[in-house]
Amino acid sequence: MPAHDFVSPDSIRAQFSAAMSLMYKQEVPLYGTLLALVSEINQQVMDTQPKVAEALRWTGEVERLDQERHGAIRVGTADELATIARLFAVMGMAPVGYYDLSSAGVPVHSTAFRAVHEQSLHVSPFRVFTSLLRLELIDNPQLRALAESILAKRQIFTPRVLELIAQCERDNGLNAADAETFVNEALHTFRWHHDATVTPEEYQQLHDQHRLIADVVAFKGPHINHLTPRTLDIDAIQRGMPAKGIPPKAVVEGPPTRRHPILLRQTSFKALQEKVAFKGQAGHEGSHTARFGEIEQRGAALTPKGRQLYDTLLDATRAALGGVPAEANADAYRALLETQFAAFPDDLAQMREQGLAYFRYFATEKGLAAREQAGRPTSLQGLIDAGHVHFEALVYEDFLPVSAAGIFQSNLGDDAQAEYGSNANREAFEAALKLPVQDELALYAQSERRSLQACAQALNLGTL
Ligand code: OOG
Ligand code: NI
């Protein structure tokens, strides 16, 4: 089949993202309520904050905002992870970043599957935070063996999706009809299953070890556990949730409110109690809590220097609070966060001059009009000062689950704190994945570089 009959991976991802959102809306009606609130608030921000709206127009984020989602799944075995990677590759998603969550008391390590090029992200920024269970961190050999034997028996992919993945790898693409089938078949892997694969006793054993282990092992597949839309004002969301009958967690995770947001701020509502049918228990139902709602606001991607400053200020805030942020100390936490983060400049020019964030550069009308003029500025700073080049922060496309461990804890229940120490093992993760994970910082730097090259070309300059 000629290549021009193939659907682009970006378009398959866009289709899949829309299909996933529709499925989740049916599975979790509260998610639909949340989407309505997010879209209401985003519209308000676009209407009342012209500077924010203008920045989003420069970067093109205004066009992707409505479809922007991240999902999260947890798989049980190395084979499942490697096949998930092949499935996501059909949709142009690659593993980016390595996250060790054992340090946050969760026995998994993770990556984020996402598009890596800004043009692809523009078409569909859909991401899936994907965790692999680490049974090797469980020091109960019987339980480990039980979990392994249960996981060895399940197949989380439909036969047809496996065929289509292989076909896509062989032919280097899928035509429109196959792409549509692929999307529908792939969706099955992420569905919620009311029927557990274990008896109530087995479920209890798994659950007693860690709630997350039961969530991964006791079901037919890695149901999507949340699907998160992007808001332009998470404080307004946090305030607006109770009126919609959605109780939010006590504090928003991440940096404080700023004029120029950085990284990621997230809030969530508690996991739902789901009815579950266990094996050998006809007619009776148990329950399981796994799925929750999350909302996020995204800001500038930080350089290593910016990230270090962020981490230092967040640590100082936690130290000053002298405890975990919760309902009782939420106001004190917010005040401390504000105070500490006064040391992080809230001005794009300063953030750029101090090398704290990554940026995107654009040739302006004025710059284009002056491109033949003798004596015009040719250095980046000169062009910026003369208004020939405009810049905006590059948006953070990744995650902060360890520093936002509050999301995990509030959803696992406060009784579920576990200690695994710090057990980062990227090599083992990549061996399971059968791929290296990409370095997110290198991707931001490349994107910044490409925008500078495009500017130089548009302005008829050698390099910038
Ligand atoms: C993943 C949590 C990570 C985020 O937004 O940081 C995540 C999980 O609970 O499986 O989605
Ligand atoms: Ni999330």
Side-chain angles (χ1 to χ4, degrees):
M1 174 170 301
H4 60 260
D5 281 346
F6 288 153
V7 179
S8 79
D10 290 344
S11 146
I12 302 178
R13 182 173 67 260
Q15 284 176 51
F16 184 78
S17 171
M20 175 79 93
S21 188
L22 201 64
M23 178 178 91
Y24 203 63
K25 217 184 268 182
Q26 284 157 2
E27 289 187 349
V28 182
L30 219 45
Y31 166 72
T33 312
L34 205 61
L35 283 189
L37 178 61
V38 168
S39 116
E40 197 180 298
I41 302 278
N42 285 357
Q43 193 55 54
Q44 248 170 46
V45 172
M46 293 299 288
D47 292 346
T48 59
Q49 299 185 41
K51 288 222 173 84
V52 174
E54 195 195 325
L56 293 168
R57 266 184 227 111
W58 273 107
T59 61
E61 279 161 82
V62 68
E63 286 135 46
R64 63 179 237 191
L65 192 64
D66 282 353
Q67 314 147 42
E68 192 146 350
R69 306 274 184 276
H70 85 251
I73 58 167
R74 303 150 183 167
V75 298
T77 67
D79 279 351
E80 289 178 357
L81 182 67
T83 309
I84 275 287
R86 293 171 58 216
L87 180 148
F88 284 138
V90 173
M91 314 183 211
M93 294 159 82
V96 178
Y98 171 76
Y99 302 88
D100 165 32
L101 293 167
S102 62
S103 62
V106 184
V108 302
H109 48 182
S110 321
T111 190
F113 286 94
R114 66 167 176 91
V116 296
H117 192 289
E118 59 277 4
Q119 279 162 11
S120 295
L121 287 160
H122 183 254
V123 177
S124 170
F126 181 63
R127 328 164 168 81
V128 180
F129 190 90
T130 302
S131 300
L132 172 64
L133 181 62
R134 300 180 73 180
L135 288 175
E136 76 273 16
L137 297 183
I138 309 304
D139 53 14
N140 175 340
Q142 274 100 21
L143 193 88
R144 216 162 44 214
L146 173 69
E148 275 163 7
S149 78
I150 296 167
L151 288 169
K153 282 187 227 128
R154 77 176 185 183
Q155 169 54 276
I156 65 171
F157 303 99
T158 69
R160 186 73 186 119
V161 88
L162 292 173
E163 276 168 24
L164 287 168
I165 293 169
Q167 179 186 322
C168 181
E169 289 169 343
R170 187 191 64 222
D171 300 347
N172 240 331
L174 294 177
N175 68 24
D178 287 340
E180 196 183 326
T181 310
F182 170 83
V183 166
N184 292 328
E185 293 282 329
L187 216 48
H188 286 294
T189 298
F190 303 90
R191 266 182 209 297
W192 172 252
H193 296 279
H194 165 262
D195 294 337
T197 56
V198 299
T199 65
E201 293 74 29
E202 288 168 335
Y203 178 85
Q204 203 52 50
Q205 280 176 44
L206 296 165
H207 187 278
D208 288 350
Q209 190 71 38
H210 197 297
R211 188 189 291 228
L212 198 121
I213 298 177
D215 185 57
V216 177
V217 177
F219 297 91
K220 288 179 186 156
H223 42 259
I224 196 105
N225 68 59
H226 61 279
L227 193 59
T228 302
R230 174 176 168 194
T231 178
L232 297 174
D233 186 349
I234 202 158
D235 299 301
I237 295 284
Q238 183 84 351
R239 283 192 302 270
M241 279 163 77
K244 302 270 180 191
I246 315 173
K249 69 189 282 296
V251 300
V252 173
E253 299 286 341
T257 310
R258 294 165 49 95
R259 217 152 43 89
H260 297 286
I262 51 173
L263 296 175
L264 191 58
R265 301 182 71 207
Q266 296 181 317
T267 187
S268 68
F269 62 82
K270 287 236 165 121
L272 311 166
Q273 283 264 356
E274 327 254 10
K275 288 198 168 32
V276 175
F278 292 110
K279 238 169 74 178
Q281 225 202 0
H284 294 281
E285 277 184 324
S287 73
H288 174 71
T289 47
R291 298 186 301 173
F292 59 97
E294 186 185 62
I295 311 90
E296 67 191 10
Q297 178 170 8
R298 290 186 171 266
L302 301 185
T303 59
K305 183 180 173 198
R307 178 59 191 266
Q308 201 165 38
L309 179 58
Y310 168 81
D311 286 337
T312 305
L313 299 176
L314 196 67
D315 287 349
T317 307
R318 300 255 154 138
L321 187 71
V324 181
E327 203 79 58
N329 57 12
D331 288 338
Y333 177 71
R334 260 193 305 275
L336 287 168
L337 200 59
E338 294 284 344
T339 311
Q340 289 295 337
F341 273 81
F344 202 118
D346 193 4
D347 172 273
L348 286 190
Q350 280 179 35
M351 283 160 68
R352 199 185 77 84
E353 277 154 31
Q354 295 178 28
L356 298 173
Y358 293 101
F359 289 90
R360 252 172 106 162
Y361 296 89
F362 307 89
T364 62
E365 295 287 323
K366 190 174 174 194
L368 292 171
R371 53 186 246 149
E372 311 298 340
Q373 245 167 46
R376 68 181 168 134
T378 53
S379 72
L380 180 57
Q381 192 60 55
L383 290 160
I384 290 170
D385 293 342
H388 293 195
V389 164
H390 175 81
F391 61 88
E392 294 289 346
L394 253 180
V395 67
Y396 189 59
E397 306 284 357
D398 295 286
F399 293 85
L400 299 169
V402 177
S403 56
I407 296 265
F408 275 104
Q409 299 311 346
S410 76
N411 287 298
L412 292 172
D414 293 327
D415 55 334
Q417 305 259 359
E419 286 294 336
Y420 297 101
S422 186
N423 286 283
N425 191 344
R426 181 178 171 147
E427 287 72 32
F429 187 81
E430 290 181 332
L433 189 63
K434 298 206 171 94
L435 277 175
V437 299
Q438 300 199 36
D439 171 9
E440 65 277 21
L441 297 172
L443 294 175
Y444 295 120
Q446 281 163 21
S447 193
E448 182 177 270
R449 180 121 303 281
R450 278 192 292 265
S451 82
L452 279 170
Q453 275 162 356
C455 260
Q457 202 172 26
L459 296 177
N460 228 355
L461 294 162
T463 52
L464 272 177

